[in-house]
């Protein structure tokens, strides 16, 4: 069970994201200080150092403003139009002069990359790229040395702009593929749930029909037993309707052998036994007596079975030599299933693309569909743990 990214899975973990943001802020601050140091106007007493340093600061602010306050598309247009306007002003008037700030160009390049990756139709990429390439023109002069310097920096920034656009488009394609893969996994879980629902509903309806025929047969010879049969029919119909209400939006299009209702724990024991039959694979199973006595809806049974099955599969694949523990208990009015493994003896090779597995995505979809909750993550000892709570139809009486 390796550290899979949850669903919504392409994002970095929050601590890593905070560390990356802090590192970026520190790097941009260092660039701003270098811009400040390289501004000759400060030493000469002129004011031509103000525009590039102010524009760099504004570009950095636009880069870090949260989307809930100002969308990425609007921030990108503001940065592009503002940068192009400042460049045009410095070229067309002799009253405003200034040096070219590297901080502004870096922020514009980052905005360009984010725009090309995240905005559905990134029309802003053209003015942003143009603003980056024309930035060095603010130092334009007819002297050969100044003219050559402008062309050199613009030429280098052209390659940088193209590289950023190419990388952003590549990441955009990866994001699209991952989104389709996640949706495919979720749809597969919905279809699997629908298949199970069909099997269990068919089982209950068959029982209802049999009991109704029995009531018809004994209505003249043993009418006193009809009330009991009608009560059983009512209970079976109620459970069936509850299952259908929870999964009514699921469509059934896949085939597979149905599992028998009421044999969840024997099936889990078989899964653990099959897991231990592999080389260097060890696992323990603990099922509380209260959990065995709890009444579970059919779709909950299949979800618990799937959670254990997927977790053991991940442990075999990504944690060779680790000890796996499977525990099922009753906590209050919820059934809790937990699968955890210790640190693997040796690290298995990561899947192609890194930690981009979708097993946890499917499990979350399935658990959520039956009104359950799930948590997954690394353990302090370097292992992995998945735990889920499921609703129960009936809790055993502790006094009996």
């Amino acid at each position: 069970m390796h550290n899979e990214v949850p669903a919504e899975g392409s994002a970095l973990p929050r601590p890593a994201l905070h560390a990356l943001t802090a590192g970026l802020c520190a790097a941009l601050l260092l660039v701003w200080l270098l811009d400040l140091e390289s501004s000759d106007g400060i030493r000469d007493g002129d004011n031509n150092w103000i525009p590039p340093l102010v524009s760099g600061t504004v570009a950095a602010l636009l880069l870090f403003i949260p989307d809930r306050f100002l969308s990425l598309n609007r921030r990108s247009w503001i940065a592009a139009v503002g940068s192009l306007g400042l460049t045009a002003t410095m070229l067309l008037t002799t009253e405003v002069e200034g040096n070219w700030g590297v901080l502004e160009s870096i922020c514009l390049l980052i905005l360009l990359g984010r725009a090309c990756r995240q905005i559905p139709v990134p029309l802003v990429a053209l003015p942003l790229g143009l603003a980056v390439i024309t930035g060095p023109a603010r130092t334009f002069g007819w002297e050969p040395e100044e003219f050559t310097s402008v062309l050199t920096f613009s030429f280098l920034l052209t390659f940088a702009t193209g590289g950023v656009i190419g990388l952003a488009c590549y990441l955009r394609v990866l994001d699209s593929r991952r989104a389709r893969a996640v949706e495919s996994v979720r749809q597969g879980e919905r279809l699997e749930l629908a298949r199970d629902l069909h099997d269990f509903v068919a089982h209950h309806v068959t029982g209802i029909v049999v009991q109704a025929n029995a009531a018809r047969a004994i209505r003249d010879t043993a009418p006193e037993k009809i009330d009991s049969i009608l009560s059983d029919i009512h209970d079976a119909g109620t459970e069936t309707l509850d299952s259908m209400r929870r999964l009514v939006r699921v469509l059934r299009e896949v085939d597979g052998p149905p599992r028998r209702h009421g044999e969840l724990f024997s099936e889990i024991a078989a899964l653990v036994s099959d897991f231990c039959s592999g080389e260097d694979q060890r696992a323990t199973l603990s099922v509380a007596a209260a959990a065995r006595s709890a009444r579970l809806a059919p779709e909950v049974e299949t979800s618990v079975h799937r959670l254990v099955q997927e977790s053991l599969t991940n442990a075999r694949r990504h944690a060779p030599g680790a000890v796996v523990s499977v525990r099922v208990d009753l906590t209050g009015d919820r059934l809790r299933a937990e699968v955890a493994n210790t640190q693997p003896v040796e690290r298995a090779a990561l899947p192609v693309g890194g930690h981009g597995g979708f097993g946890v995505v499917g499990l979350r979809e399935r658990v959520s569909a039956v009104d359950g909750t799930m948590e997954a993550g690394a353990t302090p000892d370097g292992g992995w743990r998945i735990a889920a709570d499921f609703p129960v139809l009936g809790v055993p009486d502790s006094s009996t």
Side-chain angles (χ1 to χ4, degrees):
M1 277 168 281
H2 67 300
N3 297 13
E4 294 180 271
V5 178
E8 308 60 51
S10 61
L12 290 173
R14 191 173 298 274
L17 185 61
H18 289 168
L20 183 62
T21 302
L24 178 60
C25 291
L28 293 180
L29 177 60
L30 178 61
V31 173
W32 187 83
L33 293 176
L34 292 176
D35 281 344
L36 187 65
E37 174 65 23
S38 62
S39 297
D40 297 331
I42 298 180
R43 293 185 291 269
D44 298 339
D46 299 331
N47 293 327
N48 60 357
W49 58 273
I50 296 179
L53 296 183
V54 172
S55 63
T57 304
V58 172
L61 291 175
L62 290 173
L63 177 63
F64 287 104
I65 291 177
D67 288 343
R68 63 179 180 272
F69 297 126
L70 195 61
S71 68
L72 175 62
N73 189 45
R74 292 184 177 180
R75 286 184 283 133
S76 299
W77 277 107
I78 292 174
V81 173
S83 179
L84 289 173
L86 182 59
T87 300
T89 300
M90 290 185 177
L91 286 175
L92 298 177
T93 180
T94 58
E95 296 180 359
V96 180
E97 296 180 356
N99 296 321
W100 159 58
V102 179
L103 174 62
E104 178 185 351
S105 296
I106 293 177
C107 293
L108 291 178
L109 283 173
I110 297 175
L111 281 173
L112 175 62
R114 292 187 58 190
C116 291
R117 182 181 182 182
Q118 300 176 16
I119 298 177
V121 183
L123 298 178
V124 71
L126 179 60
L128 270 177
L130 187 61
V132 173
I133 295 172
T134 59
R138 297 174 188 175
T139 61
F140 177 79
W142 291 109
E143 291 78 5
E145 182 179 351
E146 294 181 355
F147 186 76
T148 302
S149 177
V150 169
L151 290 181
T152 301
F153 283 117
S154 295
F155 183 74
L156 294 176
L157 287 175
T158 301
F159 278 96
T161 301
V164 167
I165 293 176
L167 176 61
C169 291
Y170 171 72
L171 294 177
R172 187 187 184 104
V173 172
L174 293 184
D175 292 341
S176 178
R177 289 179 179 176
R178 181 175 179 82
R180 289 196 298 268
V182 169
E183 182 58 30
S184 176
V185 169
R186 288 176 172 171
Q187 183 65 14
E189 291 298 333
R190 297 186 188 110
L191 297 178
E192 178 70 14
L193 281 169
R195 179 187 66 80
D196 295 335
L197 177 62
H198 173 274
D199 295 333
F200 291 123
V201 168
H203 169 76
H204 281 297
V205 171
T206 300
I208 291 173
V209 172
V210 171
Q211 294 181 81
N213 289 334
R216 180 183 296 176
I218 67 172
R219 64 182 176 183
D220 295 329
T221 58
E224 69 278 0
K225 296 182 179 180
I226 291 182
D227 286 342
S228 176
I229 294 176
L230 292 177
S231 178
D232 293 339
I233 291 176
H234 174 269
D235 293 340
T238 300
E239 290 185 10
T240 303
L241 289 175
D242 288 341
S243 297
M244 293 179 64
R245 288 191 185 102
R246 279 190 289 263
L247 303 174
V248 69
R249 292 177 295 180
V250 183
L251 300 176
R252 179 183 186 272
E253 292 182 1
V254 296
D255 298 323
R259 286 188 292 271
R260 299 179 61 181
H261 180 41
E263 298 185 357
L264 169 64
F265 299 109
S266 61
E267 292 177 349
I268 291 179
L271 290 175
V272 174
S273 178
D274 291 342
F275 177 84
C276 294
S277 63
E279 185 179 356
D280 296 332
Q281 300 291 350
R282 294 171 294 167
T284 60
L285 173 62
S286 174
V287 180
R292 293 183 181 274
S293 303
R295 292 177 55 243
L296 304 176
E299 64 274 13
V300 171
E301 287 193 359
T302 59
S303 298
V304 175
H305 181 280
R306 183 57 179 268
L307 182 138
V308 175
Q309 182 182 50
E310 180 70 22
S311 300
L312 291 176
T313 300
N314 283 346
R316 179 182 294 111
R317 184 180 305 163
H318 303 294
V323 178
V324 182
S325 62
V326 181
R327 292 186 292 272
V328 184
D329 199 356
L330 195 67
T331 57
D333 59 349
R334 306 279 287 184
L335 183 81
R336 184 170 183 82
E338 178 180 313
V339 182
N341 65 268
T342 60
Q343 185 175 5
V345 175
E346 60 181 24
R347 291 291 179 182
L350 293 177
V352 177
H355 295 292
F358 299 104
V360 171
V361 175
L363 288 179
R364 289 187 188 278
E365 184 71 22
R366 174 176 284 269
V367 172
S368 176
V370 298
D371 296 332
T373 58
M374 193 189 90
E375 56 184 13
T379 58
D381 62 354
W384 185 258
R385 170 180 167 274
I386 292 181
D389 293 327
F390 299 91
V392 299
L393 295 178
V395 179
D397 189 355
S398 59
S399 64
T400 59

Short mmCIF file of all heavy atoms in Angstrom, two decimals, residues 154-206:
data_model
loop_
_atom_site.label_atom_id
_atom_site.label_comp_id
_atom_site.label_asym_id
_atom_site.label_seq_id
_atom_site.Cartn_x
_atom_site.Cartn_y
_atom_site.Cartn_z
N SER A 154 16.17 39.54 -25.36
CA SER A 154 14.88 39.18 -25.97
C SER A 154 14.95 37.81 -26.64
O SER A 154 14.00 37.02 -26.59
CB SER A 154 14.45 40.25 -26.98
OG SER A 154 14.20 41.48 -26.34
N PHE A 155 16.09 37.54 -27.28
CA PHE A 155 16.27 36.24 -27.93
C PHE A 155 16.24 35.11 -26.90
O PHE A 155 15.58 34.07 -27.10
CB PHE A 155 17.59 36.24 -28.69
CG PHE A 155 17.85 34.98 -29.45
CD1 PHE A 155 17.17 34.69 -30.63
CD2 PHE A 155 18.79 34.06 -28.99
CE1 PHE A 155 17.42 33.53 -31.33
CE2 PHE A 155 19.05 32.89 -29.68
CZ PHE A 155 18.35 32.63 -30.86
N LEU A 156 16.94 35.31 -25.77
CA LEU A 156 16.94 34.29 -24.72
C LEU A 156 15.55 34.12 -24.09
O LEU A 156 15.12 32.99 -23.81
CB LEU A 156 17.96 34.65 -23.65
CG LEU A 156 19.44 34.64 -24.09
CD1 LEU A 156 20.33 35.12 -22.94
CD2 LEU A 156 19.85 33.23 -24.52
N LEU A 157 14.85 35.22 -23.89
CA LEU A 157 13.51 35.14 -23.31
C LEU A 157 12.52 34.49 -24.26
O LEU A 157 11.52 33.90 -23.82
CB LEU A 157 13.03 36.53 -22.90
CG LEU A 157 13.72 37.11 -21.66
CD1 LEU A 157 13.25 38.55 -21.41
CD2 LEU A 157 13.41 36.25 -20.42
N THR A 158 12.77 34.58 -25.55
CA THR A 158 11.91 33.89 -26.52
C THR A 158 11.99 32.38 -26.32
O THR A 158 10.97 31.67 -26.31
CB THR A 158 12.31 34.25 -27.95
OG1 THR A 158 12.18 35.67 -28.13
CG2 THR A 158 11.42 33.54 -28.96
N PHE A 159 13.21 31.87 -26.13
CA PHE A 159 13.38 30.44 -25.86
C PHE A 159 12.74 30.06 -24.53
O PHE A 159 12.12 29.00 -24.40
CB PHE A 159 14.86 30.07 -25.87
CG PHE A 159 15.41 29.85 -27.24
CD1 PHE A 159 16.07 30.88 -27.91
CD2 PHE A 159 15.24 28.64 -27.89
CE1 PHE A 159 16.58 30.69 -29.18
CE2 PHE A 159 15.75 28.45 -29.16
CZ PHE A 159 16.43 29.47 -29.82
N ALA A 160 12.92 30.93 -23.51
CA ALA A 160 12.32 30.65 -22.20
C ALA A 160 10.80 30.60 -22.30
O ALA A 160 10.14 29.73 -21.71
CB ALA A 160 12.76 31.70 -21.19
N THR A 161 10.22 31.53 -23.06
CA THR A 161 8.77 31.56 -23.23
C THR A 161 8.28 30.30 -23.93
O THR A 161 7.29 29.68 -23.51
CB THR A 161 8.36 32.80 -24.04
OG1 THR A 161 8.79 33.98 -23.33
CG2 THR A 161 6.86 32.85 -24.23
N GLY A 162 8.97 29.92 -24.99
CA GLY A 162 8.58 28.69 -25.69
C GLY A 162 8.70 27.46 -24.80
O GLY A 162 7.84 26.57 -24.84
N GLY A 163 9.76 27.40 -23.99
CA GLY A 163 9.93 26.26 -23.09
C GLY A 163 8.83 26.18 -22.04
O GLY A 163 8.32 25.10 -21.74
N VAL A 164 8.45 27.33 -21.49
CA VAL A 164 7.39 27.36 -20.48
C VAL A 164 6.06 26.92 -21.09
O VAL A 164 5.30 26.14 -20.51
CB VAL A 164 7.27 28.77 -19.86
CG1 VAL A 164 5.99 28.90 -19.05
CG2 VAL A 164 8.48 29.06 -18.98
N ILE A 165 5.77 27.41 -22.29
CA ILE A 165 4.52 27.03 -22.97
C ILE A 165 4.51 25.52 -23.26
O ILE A 165 3.50 24.83 -23.05
CB ILE A 165 4.33 27.84 -24.25
CG1 ILE A 165 4.11 29.33 -23.92
CG2 ILE A 165 3.17 27.31 -25.08
CD1 ILE A 165 4.01 30.22 -25.13
N GLY A 166 5.64 25.01 -23.73
CA GLY A 166 5.71 23.58 -24.02
C GLY A 166 5.52 22.73 -22.78
O GLY A 166 4.78 21.74 -22.79
N LEU A 167 6.18 23.11 -21.68
CA LEU A 167 6.05 22.36 -20.43
C LEU A 167 4.62 22.43 -19.90
O LEU A 167 4.07 21.42 -19.44
CB LEU A 167 7.03 22.91 -19.39
CG LEU A 167 6.96 22.28 -18.00
CD1 LEU A 167 7.26 20.79 -18.06
CD2 LEU A 167 7.92 22.99 -17.04
N ALA A 168 4.03 23.62 -19.97
CA ALA A 168 2.65 23.77 -19.47
C ALA A 168 1.68 22.93 -20.29
O ALA A 168 0.76 22.32 -19.74
CB ALA A 168 2.24 25.24 -19.50
N CYS A 169 1.86 22.90 -21.60
CA CYS A 169 0.97 22.09 -22.44
C CYS A 169 1.14 20.60 -22.14
O CYS A 169 0.17 19.84 -22.14
CB CYS A 169 1.24 22.37 -23.92
SG CYS A 169 0.75 24.03 -24.45
N TYR A 170 2.38 20.18 -21.88
CA TYR A 170 2.63 18.78 -21.53
C TYR A 170 1.92 18.43 -20.21
O TYR A 170 1.26 17.38 -20.11
CB TYR A 170 4.12 18.54 -21.41
CG TYR A 170 4.49 17.18 -20.85
CD1 TYR A 170 4.32 16.03 -21.60
CD2 TYR A 170 5.00 17.07 -19.57
CE1 TYR A 170 4.65 14.78 -21.08
CE2 TYR A 170 5.34 15.84 -19.04
CZ TYR A 170 5.16 14.69 -19.80
OH TYR A 170 5.47 13.46 -19.29
N LEU A 171 2.05 19.30 -19.20
CA LEU A 171 1.37 19.07 -17.93
C LEU A 171 -0.14 19.11 -18.09
O LEU A 171 -0.87 18.38 -17.41
CB LEU A 171 1.82 20.11 -16.90
CG LEU A 171 3.29 20.04 -16.49
CD1 LEU A 171 3.62 21.18 -15.53
CD2 LEU A 171 3.62 18.71 -15.84
N ARG A 172 -0.61 19.94 -19.00
CA ARG A 172 -2.06 20.01 -19.27
C ARG A 172 -2.56 18.68 -19.82
O ARG A 172 -3.64 18.20 -19.44
CB ARG A 172 -2.33 21.15 -20.25
CG ARG A 172 -3.82 21.44 -20.49
CD ARG A 172 -3.97 22.47 -21.59
NE ARG A 172 -5.33 22.85 -21.81
CZ ARG A 172 -5.89 23.98 -21.40
NH1 ARG A 172 -5.15 24.86 -20.74
NH2 ARG A 172 -7.16 24.26 -21.64
N VAL A 173 -1.78 18.07 -20.71
CA VAL A 173 -2.16 16.77 -21.25
C VAL A 173 -2.17 15.71 -20.15
O VAL A 173 -3.08 14.87 -20.07
CB VAL A 173 -1.21 16.36 -22.40
CG1 VAL A 173 -1.46 14.92 -22.83
CG2 VAL A 173 -1.38 17.30 -23.58
N LEU A 174 -1.14 15.73 -19.27
CA LEU A 174 -1.11 14.78 -18.16
C LEU A 174 -2.30 14.97 -17.23
O LEU A 174 -2.90 13.98 -16.77
CB LEU A 174 0.19 14.94 -17.38
CG LEU A 174 1.49 14.54 -18.09
CD1 LEU A 174 2.67 14.67 -17.13
CD2 LEU A 174 1.41 13.11 -18.62
N ASP A 175 -2.65 16.22 -16.95
CA ASP A 175 -3.81 16.48 -16.09
C ASP A 175 -5.08 15.93 -16.73
O ASP A 175 -5.94 15.35 -16.04
CB ASP A 175 -3.97 17.99 -15.85
CG ASP A 175 -2.85 18.56 -15.00
OD1 ASP A 175 -2.17 17.77 -14.31
OD2 ASP A 175 -2.64 19.78 -15.04
N SER A 176 -5.21 16.12 -18.03
CA SER A 176 -6.39 15.62 -18.73
C SER A 176 -6.46 14.11 -18.68
O SER A 176 -7.52 13.52 -18.45
CB SER A 176 -6.38 16.12 -20.18
OG SER A 176 -7.49 15.62 -20.90
N ARG A 177 -5.32 13.46 -18.90
CA ARG A 177 -5.30 11.99 -18.84
C ARG A 177 -5.64 11.50 -17.45
O ARG A 177 -6.39 10.53 -17.29
CB ARG A 177 -3.92 11.48 -19.26
CG ARG A 177 -3.62 11.65 -20.74
CD ARG A 177 -2.22 11.13 -21.05
NE ARG A 177 -1.91 11.26 -22.47
CZ ARG A 177 -0.72 10.95 -23.00
NH1 ARG A 177 0.25 10.51 -22.22
NH2 ARG A 177 -0.52 11.10 -24.30
N ARG A 178 -5.10 12.15 -16.44
CA ARG A 178 -5.38 11.73 -15.07
C ARG A 178 -6.86 11.93 -14.74
O ARG A 178 -7.47 11.08 -14.09
CB ARG A 178 -4.50 12.49 -14.09
CG ARG A 178 -4.75 12.07 -12.65
CD ARG A 178 -3.81 12.75 -11.68
NE ARG A 178 -4.09 12.34 -10.32
CZ ARG A 178 -3.65 11.22 -9.77
NH1 ARG A 178 -2.88 10.40 -10.48
NH2 ARG A 178 -3.95 10.91 -8.53
N ALA A 179 -7.42 13.04 -15.16
CA ALA A 179 -8.84 13.29 -14.89
C ALA A 179 -9.71 12.21 -15.54
O ALA A 179 -10.67 11.72 -14.93
CB ALA A 179 -9.24 14.67 -15.39
N ARG A 180 -9.36 11.84 -16.77
CA ARG A 180 -10.13 10.78 -17.43
C ARG A 180 -9.94 9.44 -16.73
O ARG A 180 -10.89 8.65 -16.60
CB ARG A 180 -9.70 10.67 -18.90
CG ARG A 180 -10.15 11.82 -19.76
CD ARG A 180 -10.04 11.48 -21.24
NE ARG A 180 -8.67 11.21 -21.62
CZ ARG A 180 -7.83 12.11 -22.10
NH1 ARG A 180 -8.22 13.37 -22.21
NH2 ARG A 180 -6.59 11.79 -22.44
N ALA A 181 -8.72 9.18 -16.25
CA ALA A 181 -8.47 7.92 -15.55
C ALA A 181 -9.24 7.87 -14.23
O ALA A 181 -9.82 6.83 -13.87
CB ALA A 181 -6.97 7.74 -15.29
N VAL A 182 -9.25 8.97 -13.49
CA VAL A 182 -10.00 9.02 -12.24
C VAL A 182 -11.48 8.81 -12.49
O VAL A 182 -12.15 8.05 -11.78
CB VAL A 182 -9.75 10.37 -11.52
CG1 VAL A 182 -10.73 10.55 -10.36
CG2 VAL A 182 -8.32 10.47 -11.02
N GLU A 183 -12.02 9.46 -13.51
CA GLU A 183 -13.44 9.31 -13.83
C GLU A 183 -13.74 7.88 -14.26
O GLU A 183 -14.79 7.33 -13.95
CB GLU A 183 -13.84 10.30 -14.93
CG GLU A 183 -15.31 10.25 -15.29
CD GLU A 183 -16.22 10.53 -14.10
OE1 GLU A 183 -15.80 11.28 -13.20
OE2 GLU A 183 -17.33 9.97 -14.08
N SER A 184 -12.81 7.27 -14.98
CA SER A 184 -13.00 5.88 -15.39
C SER A 184 -13.05 4.95 -14.18
O SER A 184 -13.87 4.03 -14.12
CB SER A 184 -11.88 5.46 -16.34
OG SER A 184 -11.98 4.09 -16.69
N VAL A 185 -12.14 5.19 -13.21
CA VAL A 185 -12.14 4.37 -12.00
C VAL A 185 -13.45 4.55 -11.24
O VAL A 185 -14.07 3.58 -10.77
CB VAL A 185 -10.94 4.74 -11.11
CG1 VAL A 185 -11.07 4.10 -9.74
CG2 VAL A 185 -9.65 4.30 -11.77
N ARG A 186 -13.88 5.78 -11.10
CA ARG A 186 -15.13 6.03 -10.39
C ARG A 186 -16.32 5.39 -11.09
O ARG A 186 -17.20 4.80 -10.45
CB ARG A 186 -15.35 7.55 -10.27
CG ARG A 186 -14.42 8.22 -9.28
CD ARG A 186 -14.59 9.71 -9.27
NE ARG A 186 -13.82 10.33 -8.19
CZ ARG A 186 -13.65 11.63 -8.06
NH1 ARG A 186 -14.18 12.46 -8.94
NH2 ARG A 186 -12.95 12.12 -7.05
N GLN A 187 -16.35 5.50 -12.40
CA GLN A 187 -17.43 4.89 -13.15
C GLN A 187 -17.40 3.37 -13.00
O GLN A 187 -18.45 2.73 -12.88
CB GLN A 187 -17.33 5.28 -14.63
CG GLN A 187 -18.48 4.75 -15.50
CD GLN A 187 -19.81 5.35 -15.12
OE1 GLN A 187 -19.88 6.35 -14.39
NE2 GLN A 187 -20.89 4.74 -15.59
N GLY A 188 -16.21 2.79 -12.99
CA GLY A 188 -16.10 1.35 -12.80
C GLY A 188 -16.65 0.92 -11.45
O GLY A 188 -17.32 -0.12 -11.34
N GLU A 189 -16.36 1.71 -10.40
CA GLU A 189 -16.90 1.38 -9.08
C GLU A 189 -18.41 1.51 -9.07
O GLU A 189 -19.11 0.70 -8.44
CB GLU A 189 -16.28 2.29 -8.02
CG GLU A 189 -14.80 2.03 -7.76
CD GLU A 189 -14.56 0.64 -7.23
OE1 GLU A 189 -15.47 0.07 -6.59
OE2 GLU A 189 -13.46 0.11 -7.45
N ARG A 190 -18.94 2.52 -9.74
CA ARG A 190 -20.40 2.67 -9.79
C ARG A 190 -21.04 1.48 -10.48
O ARG A 190 -22.08 0.96 -10.05
CB ARG A 190 -20.76 3.97 -10.51
CG ARG A 190 -20.27 5.23 -9.80
CD ARG A 190 -20.80 6.47 -10.48
NE ARG A 190 -20.19 7.68 -9.94
CZ ARG A 190 -19.34 8.45 -10.57
NH1 ARG A 190 -18.97 8.13 -11.79
NH2 ARG A 190 -18.85 9.52 -10.00
N LEU A 191 -20.43 1.03 -11.56
CA LEU A 191 -20.97 -0.10 -12.29
C LEU A 191 -20.88 -1.39 -11.47
O LEU A 191 -21.79 -2.23 -11.50
CB LEU A 191 -20.22 -0.27 -13.62
CG LEU A 191 -20.36 0.89 -14.60
CD1 LEU A 191 -19.54 0.63 -15.85
CD2 LEU A 191 -21.81 1.13 -14.96
N GLU A 192 -19.78 -1.55 -10.72
CA GLU A 192 -19.64 -2.72 -9.87
C GLU A 192 -20.69 -2.71 -8.77
O GLU A 192 -21.29 -3.74 -8.44
CB GLU A 192 -18.23 -2.74 -9.27
CG GLU A 192 -17.96 -3.90 -8.32
CD GLU A 192 -17.89 -5.23 -9.04
OE1 GLU A 192 -17.78 -5.23 -10.28
OE2 GLU A 192 -17.95 -6.28 -8.36
N LEU A 193 -20.92 -1.54 -8.18
CA LEU A 193 -21.96 -1.42 -7.16
C LEU A 193 -23.34 -1.74 -7.75
O LEU A 193 -24.17 -2.38 -7.10
CB LEU A 193 -21.95 -0.01 -6.57
CG LEU A 193 -20.88 0.28 -5.52
CD1 LEU A 193 -20.83 1.77 -5.24
CD2 LEU A 193 -21.16 -0.48 -4.24
N ALA A 194 -23.56 -1.29 -8.96
CA ALA A 194 -24.85 -1.56 -9.60
C ALA A 194 -25.04 -3.05 -9.84
O ALA A 194 -26.14 -3.58 -9.68
CB ALA A 194 -24.93 -0.80 -10.93
N ARG A 195 -23.98 -3.74 -10.23
CA ARG A 195 -24.07 -5.19 -10.42
C ARG A 195 -24.44 -5.88 -9.11
O ARG A 195 -25.32 -6.76 -9.06
CB ARG A 195 -22.75 -5.74 -10.94
CG ARG A 195 -22.76 -7.25 -11.14
CD ARG A 195 -21.38 -7.77 -11.49
NE ARG A 195 -20.45 -7.61 -10.38
CZ ARG A 195 -20.39 -8.44 -9.34
NH1 ARG A 195 -21.20 -9.48 -9.27
NH2 ARG A 195 -19.52 -8.23 -8.38
N ASP A 196 -23.74 -5.48 -8.02
CA ASP A 196 -24.06 -6.07 -6.71
C ASP A 196 -25.49 -5.75 -6.29
O ASP A 196 -26.19 -6.61 -5.75
CB ASP A 196 -23.08 -5.54 -5.66
CG ASP A 196 -21.65 -5.99 -5.91
OD1 ASP A 196 -21.46 -7.03 -6.56
OD2 ASP A 196 -20.72 -5.27 -5.48
N LEU A 197 -25.90 -4.51 -6.53
CA LEU A 197 -27.27 -4.13 -6.18
C LEU A 197 -28.28 -4.98 -6.92
O LEU A 197 -29.28 -5.44 -6.35
CB LEU A 197 -27.48 -2.64 -6.49
CG LEU A 197 -28.89 -2.10 -6.24
CD1 LEU A 197 -29.26 -2.23 -4.77
CD2 LEU A 197 -28.99 -0.66 -6.70
N HIS A 198 -28.03 -5.20 -8.20
CA HIS A 198 -28.94 -6.04 -9.00
C HIS A 198 -29.04 -7.44 -8.41
O HIS A 198 -30.15 -8.01 -8.27
CB HIS A 198 -28.45 -6.10 -10.44
CG HIS A 198 -29.22 -7.06 -11.30
ND1 HIS A 198 -28.90 -8.40 -11.37
CD2 HIS A 198 -30.28 -6.87 -12.11
CE1 HIS A 198 -29.73 -9.00 -12.19
NE2 HIS A 198 -30.59 -8.11 -12.66
N ASP A 199 -27.91 -8.01 -8.04
CA ASP A 199 -27.92 -9.37 -7.50
C ASP A 199 -28.70 -9.45 -6.19
O ASP A 199 -29.51 -10.37 -6.00
CB ASP A 199 -26.48 -9.85 -7.27
CG ASP A 199 -25.71 -9.98 -8.59
OD1 ASP A 199 -26.36 -10.20 -9.62
OD2 ASP A 199 -24.47 -9.84 -8.56
N PHE A 200 -28.47 -8.50 -5.29
CA PHE A 200 -29.13 -8.57 -4.00
C PHE A 200 -30.61 -8.22 -4.10
O PHE A 200 -31.43 -8.80 -3.38
CB PHE A 200 -28.43 -7.63 -3.01
CG PHE A 200 -27.07 -8.10 -2.62
CD1 PHE A 200 -25.95 -7.29 -2.82
CD2 PHE A 200 -26.87 -9.35 -2.08
CE1 PHE A 200 -24.69 -7.72 -2.47
CE2 PHE A 200 -25.61 -9.79 -1.72
CZ PHE A 200 -24.52 -8.98 -1.92
N VAL A 201 -30.95 -7.27 -4.94
CA VAL A 201 -32.37 -6.96 -5.13
C VAL A 201 -33.10 -8.16 -5.71
O VAL A 201 -34.21 -8.49 -5.29
CB VAL A 201 -32.52 -5.71 -6.03
CG1 VAL A 201 -33.97 -5.55 -6.47
CG2 VAL A 201 -32.08 -4.46 -5.28
N ALA A 202 -32.47 -8.83 -6.67
CA ALA A 202 -33.08 -10.03 -7.24
C ALA A 202 -33.27 -11.09 -6.16
O ALA A 202 -34.31 -11.79 -6.13
CB ALA A 202 -32.21 -10.56 -8.37
N HIS A 203 -32.30 -11.23 -5.25
CA HIS A 203 -32.41 -12.20 -4.17
C HIS A 203 -33.58 -11.88 -3.26
O HIS A 203 -34.41 -12.76 -2.92
CB HIS A 203 -31.11 -12.22 -3.37
CG HIS A 203 -31.19 -12.98 -2.08
ND1 HIS A 203 -31.19 -14.35 -2.02
CD2 HIS A 203 -31.30 -12.54 -0.79
CE1 HIS A 203 -31.28 -14.75 -0.76
NE2 HIS A 203 -31.34 -13.67 0.01
N HIS A 204 -33.71 -10.61 -2.85
CA HIS A 204 -34.81 -10.22 -1.95
C HIS A 204 -36.17 -10.35 -2.64
O HIS A 204 -37.13 -10.80 -2.02
CB HIS A 204 -34.59 -8.78 -1.47
CG HIS A 204 -33.57 -8.66 -0.38
ND1 HIS A 204 -33.73 -9.23 0.85
CD2 HIS A 204 -32.37 -8.03 -0.35
CE1 HIS A 204 -32.68 -8.96 1.61
NE2 HIS A 204 -31.84 -8.22 0.91
N VAL A 205 -36.25 -9.91 -3.88
CA VAL A 205 -37.53 -9.99 -4.58
C VAL A 205 -37.96 -11.44 -4.76
O VAL A 205 -39.14 -11.78 -4.63
CB VAL A 205 -37.43 -9.26 -5.94
CG1 VAL A 205 -38.69 -9.51 -6.77
CG2 VAL A 205 -37.25 -7.77 -5.72
N THR A 206 -37.00 -12.31 -5.04
CA THR A 206 -37.33 -13.74 -5.15
C THR A 206 -37.90 -14.26 -3.83
O THR A 206 -38.90 -15.00 -3.82
CB THR A 206 -36.08 -14.54 -5.53
OG1 THR A 206 -35.59 -14.07 -6.78
CG2 THR A 206 -36.41 -16.03 -5.64
#
